[in-house]
């Protein structure tokens, strides 16, 4: 999958290293520029909580009915973060909000489904989701092609 993700990134003009880690994410450098894209390592052993969140997230994005895999949606979501960017104020608020959400989830106040719903309502996440979903809807043939390539 790594080589295919590199090709997808290049399509959007991003020459980023792709690493395998615990999940899909983009790291930003100290200047707010993307520095690395992470995809899940097949050998990574998720905790119970991580697995529950991933399952709830898969269910959440399946509801969009985009006709492509969770993996492609996740990749395009991360590209959406790069394209949409976010301000320093959004950055600070985002981390405060995600810390609170994690605490509420970890102490049992929120179910995994509630966590995912609230997390995806955060402006930074909602913007990346919207960008990814709109891109897929406007580029169905290429999205389906990439989806097939990711599965090979």
């Amino acid at each position: 999958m790594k080589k295919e993700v590199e090709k997808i990134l290049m399509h959007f003009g991003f020459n980023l290293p792709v690493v395998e880690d615990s999940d899909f994410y983009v790291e930003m450098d100290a200047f707010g520029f993307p520095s690395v894209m992470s995809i899940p390592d097949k050998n990574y052993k998720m905790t119970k909580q991580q697995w529950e969140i991933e399952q709830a997230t898969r269910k959440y994005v399946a509801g969009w009915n985009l006709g492509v895999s969770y993996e492609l949606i996740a990749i395009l979501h991360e590209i959406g973060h790069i394209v949409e960017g976010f301000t320093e104020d959004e950055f600070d608020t985002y981390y405060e909000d995600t810390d609170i959400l994690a605490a509420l989830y970890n102490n049992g106040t929120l179910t995994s489904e509630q966590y995912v719903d609230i997390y995806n309502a955060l402006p930074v996440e909602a913007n990346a989701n919207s960008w990814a979903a709109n891109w897929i809807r406007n580029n169905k043939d290429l999205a389906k092609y990439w989806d097939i390539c990711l599965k090979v």
Side-chain angles (χ1 to χ4, degrees):
M1 181 190 314
K2 189 175 175 179
K3 290 288 182 202
E4 292 306 321
V5 174
E6 289 170 346
K7 290 176 187 175
I8 292 169
L9 285 166
M10 287 300 292
H11 174 83
F12 294 99
F14 302 117
N15 186 15
L16 297 176
V18 176
V19 300
E20 293 178 335
D21 195 16
S22 61
D23 202 356
F24 293 99
Y25 62 85
V26 173
E27 280 186 16
M28 303 292 194
D29 65 18
F31 303 103
F33 295 107
S35 59
V36 68
M37 169 83 142
S38 173
I39 60 174
D41 182 338
K42 294 177 204 114
N43 299 315
Y44 180 79
K45 302 293 182 208
M46 284 189 249
T47 66
K48 181 178 183 251
Q49 289 89 355
Q50 288 170 322
W51 184 85
E52 289 171 348
I53 295 290
E54 181 177 311
Q55 297 311 304
T57 303
R58 285 177 178 274
K59 183 178 175 183
Y60 181 85
V61 300
W64 300 351
N65 297 315
L66 294 173
V68 296
S69 68
Y70 166 78
E71 289 76 15
L72 181 60
I73 293 169
I75 291 162
L76 291 170
H77 167 94
E78 296 307 327
I79 292 170
H81 278 306
I82 298 169
V83 172
E84 291 295 307
F86 46 97
T87 67
E88 194 170 327
D89 289 341
E90 288 174 318
F91 183 81
D92 293 340
T93 302
Y94 174 80
Y95 284 104
E96 290 170 11
D97 290 345
T98 56
D99 287 347
I100 292 167
L101 269 177
L104 291 170
Y105 176 71
N106 290 332
N107 75 16
T109 303
L110 296 176
T111 66
S112 55
E113 290 80 10
Q114 290 168 324
Y115 173 91
V116 168
D117 286 345
I118 296 168
Y119 178 81
N120 282 284
L122 297 174
V124 169
E125 296 303 326
N127 288 342
N129 285 341
S130 180
W131 186 91
N134 287 333
W135 191 92
I136 292 167
R137 286 184 191 106
N138 292 323
N139 298 277
K140 287 179 185 176
D141 291 340
L142 184 53
K144 288 182 186 225
Y145 171 74
W146 283 347
D147 204 31
I148 292 166
C149 292
L150 288 171
K151 294 174 185 173
V152 175

